[in-house]
Amino acid sequence: MSQYDVIVIGAGPGGYVCAIRCAQLGLKTAVVEGRETLGGTCLNVGCIPSKALLHSTHLLHEAEHNFAHMGLKGKSPSVDWDQMKAYKDEVIGQNTGGIEFLFKKNKIDWIKGWASIPAAGKVQVGDEVHEAKNIVIASGSVPASIPGVEIDEKIVVSSTGALELPKIPKKLAVIGAGVIGLELGSVYARLGSEVTVVEYMDAVCPGMDKDVQRSFKRILEKQGLNIILGAAVQGVETTKTKAKVKYQPKKGGEEVTLDADVVLVATGRKPYSEGLGLDALGVTMTGRGQIATDNHWRTNIPGIYAIGDVIEGPMLAHKAEDEGMAVADVIAGKHGHVNYGVIPGVVYTTPEVATVGATEDALKAEGRKIKVGKFMFMGNARAKAVGQAEGGFVKIIADKETDRILGAAIIGPAAGDMIHELCVAMEFGASAEDVALTCHAHPTYSEAVREAALACGDGPIHS
Ligand code: NAI
């Protein structure tokens, strides 16, 4: 039996970051992970592989649609799907191997296998029981389906199966126009699949800024995605090689059938804590199957903490990472903190979409007095130089009286990187004027952020 200060269950972004921080703080740390490689869903079957495929197919799209215009003539590249997947696997390997290296460097033990918690202070893996003063559950989430739709990872796939399709489908039906549906829908549309996205709500990316939703939908449609809104999928029927997706338009009318070779179910994820023995331990859960925690990530059982997708909040790798670092601080007797009001959200399509803080609608619904500064990328020289100015913009929402930035949304090139200027501004309680008075290099996409900040005051220069 080995004894630890901390055992972390799960080596996804929440768990591995927590373990590294614990080790840095001088705590003897182990991580239990049953997958063959570290990194959890994000590195193995989520964020990282999808970004590799998005990158490869973005280049293909550029070659097919934009090269000639820029004076790059010649045959477009042809797709070697197996090689594209091999490239993706190589990227996964580099990243998961990187975590293994960091574990060794920080002297973190990797206990291979699936953990259960027979009692507080004890973690069982196979026949072995390990002792730990503190246990951090970072067991993540798994894809959630909807009634009448059974994921078989062959014809009806989750995001995991969609990364490993044996061949590019002629017709891909996507259920759900959320982040996964639009990112992976974009990948296959660029590879030549006829992609139809069926979404229950009346907009893509429900909950996001309304202006962004409208622009985003238009841009995606221009890229060839067929998007059906206000349609509730009732079920999917499959044969050996095909599927029929049945949906009901919300405004009424006949049920519609959509033929597809592959159906991607992207209707959300659910917290994963099966097999941990939480019931027997008496760990309090929320009504939504999450582990209930207080604001120090403590469960109701002393010495057991939980972070990431398995607790409340957005299911985002970076939110889990922040919680991982903060809970390590708490365990080490320091002050751990996560500012849940400043967690960016990014969709890695082309253009990218990034948001942070409150939306204009939510603030208006609260009765807050706000001002909105918006700047279109059509007025940004750099975006025009790379052919990505159309339809994109930066929007900053600030308090009408104090000018303090309350939220922001960007749709445009490198939005996912640019959003952090506004995250930092919000962390520091900055006003729109603070951003507007900051010198921004020319020519950069980030100048559009400054212009949106100027639009909260006396007005932007280039529109
Ligand atoms: P999501 O919650 O983003 O979107 C699910 C969509 O499915 C919603 O728009 C919902 O209205 C729709 N839907 C549900 N039932 C339906 C029905 N019967 N018929 C039609 N539409 C229906 O979930 P998604 O895209 O599966 O992603 C899961 C999680 O993973 C999310 O929390 C997301 O934030 C995270 N993720 C984040 C990424 C990123 O940060 N870039 C990338 C991929 C996933």
Side-chain angles (χ1 to χ4, degrees):
M1 180 155 61
S2 28
Q3 293 199 328
Y4 293 95
D5 293 316
V6 185
I7 293 183
V8 182
I9 299 175
Y16 86 70
V17 167
C18 175
I20 292 172
R21 176 58 96 226
C22 285
Q24 286 172 339
L25 294 170
L27 301 166
K28 186 167 159 43
T29 307
V31 175
V32 188
E33 173 56 62
R35 258 184 224 272
E36 280 172 25
T37 48
L38 300 171
T41 299
C42 171
L43 272 69
N44 288 285
V45 288
C47 326
I48 302 303
S50 60
K51 260 78 271 176
L53 292 181
L54 277 158
H55 179 65
S56 313
T57 57
H58 166 65
L59 295 180
L60 172 71
H61 182 90
E62 286 291 285
E64 284 174 344
H65 299 273
N66 298 327
F67 272 15
H69 184 206
M70 290 188 258
L72 295 161
K73 300 263 165 94
K75 237 177 86 198
S76 297
S78 62
V79 175
D80 179 342
W81 178 228
D82 287 336
Q83 176 54 31
M84 201 177 273
K85 286 188 288 181
Y87 169 71
K88 161 194 71 92
D89 292 339
E90 200 181 299
V91 173
I92 295 173
Q94 284 164 1
N95 283 280
T96 56
I99 309 297
E100 218 171 317
F101 164 78
L102 291 173
F103 273 20
K104 284 191 188 125
K105 185 179 159 200
N106 286 285
K107 302 193 170 42
I108 296 164
D109 289 343
W110 173 8
I111 304 169
K112 294 184 185 178
W114 301 102
S116 62
I117 310 173
K122 293 193 192 313
V123 174
Q124 180 157 4
V125 184
D127 295 334
E128 287 196 14
V129 177
H130 306 267
E131 287 201 343
K133 289 183 201 133
N134 304 280
I135 297 169
V136 179
I137 303 171
S139 48
S141 61
V142 287
S145 192
I146 49 171
V149 182
E150 205 175 306
I151 296 171
D152 59 21
E153 298 295 12
K154 287 190 177 79
I155 305 280
V156 183
V157 299
S158 70
S159 51
T160 306
L163 296 167
E164 278 304 327
L165 293 181
K167 59 178 193 192
I168 298 161
K170 269 210 174 92
K171 288 185 179 187
L172 174 71
V174 179
I175 310 176
V179 192
I180 292 181
L182 298 181
E183 286 186 356
L184 290 175
S186 291
V187 164
Y188 284 100
R190 293 171 194 166
L191 288 169
S193 300
E194 193 184 301
V195 177
T196 305
V197 185
V198 186
E199 166 58 49
Y200 177 77
M201 302 299 279
D202 296 319
V204 300
C205 292
M208 210 181 251
D209 177 271
K210 285 219 161 55
D211 279 347
V212 171
Q213 288 175 335
R214 274 190 293 268
S215 268
F216 196 20
K217 177 169 179 277
R218 256 197 312 269
I219 292 169
L220 291 168
E221 282 173 335
K222 228 175 144 188
Q223 292 173 4
L225 276 85
N226 179 23
I227 300 173
I228 299 164
L229 299 176
V233 170
Q234 309 287 308
V236 176
E237 283 167 16
T238 53
T239 64
K240 257 195 174 150
T241 55
K242 301 251 179 246
K244 284 185 189 301
V245 178
K246 305 210 177 268
Y247 68 85
Q248 182 73 50
K250 274 198 311 188
K251 59 176 193 283
E254 301 262 293
E255 186 178 80
V256 183
T257 301
L258 183 70
D259 291 318
D261 301 301
V262 172
V263 180
L264 165 61
V265 184
T267 49
R269 297 178 62 86
K270 57 181 180 194
Y272 180 74
S273 59
E274 263 166 47
L276 290 175
L278 302 187
D279 224 15
L281 265 177
V283 173
T284 306
M285 308 295 284
T286 70
R288 301 171 67 191
Q290 301 145 326
I291 297 174
T293 54
D294 66 8
N295 54 9
H296 288 94
W297 305 280
R298 291 181 293 218
T299 68
N300 61 315
I301 308 287
I304 302 183
Y305 302 78
I307 57 165
D309 284 8
V310 79
I311 69 167
E312 252 184 296
M315 288 186 171
L316 295 170
H318 43 282
K319 174 257 192 189
E321 288 180 27
D322 279 24
E323 290 175 341
M325 284 192 277
V327 80
D329 283 340
V330 168
I331 291 170
K334 295 161 69 113
H335 181 70
H337 172 71
V338 175
N339 181 358
Y340 288 101
V342 186
I343 293 181
V346 180
V347 193
Y348 296 88
T349 42
T350 303
E352 290 181 353
V353 175
T355 58
V356 65
T359 61
E360 185 182 350
D361 279 342
L363 290 166
K364 279 184 179 158
E366 277 173 28
R368 291 282 292 266
K369 289 200 166 47
I370 54 167
K371 51 187 174 178
V372 176
K374 191 172 165 187
F375 183 77
M376 304 300 293
F377 274 104
M378 279 313 268
N380 178 273
R382 182 70 179 279
K384 279 194 279 212
V386 299
Q388 283 197 46
E390 219 181 302
F393 58 84
V394 179
K395 180 172 179 176
I396 294 175
I397 302 132
D399 186 279
K400 193 160 191 168
E401 271 145 42
T402 65
D403 195 36
R404 187 180 175 139
I405 299 174
L406 304 172
I410 308 177
I411 175 164
D417 287 291
M418 271 193 292
I419 196 74
H420 297 105
E421 172 179 359
L422 293 160
C423 295
V424 173
M426 286 176 71
E427 279 287 350
F428 280 76
S431 63
E433 189 182 30
D434 288 327
V435 174
L437 288 174
T438 305
C439 183
H440 284 63
H442 176 74
T444 57
Y445 307 131
S446 296
E447 285 175 288
V449 174
R450 184 193 205 174
E451 294 268 21
L454 281 165
C456 290
D458 294 334
I461 303 295
H462 296 89
S463 76

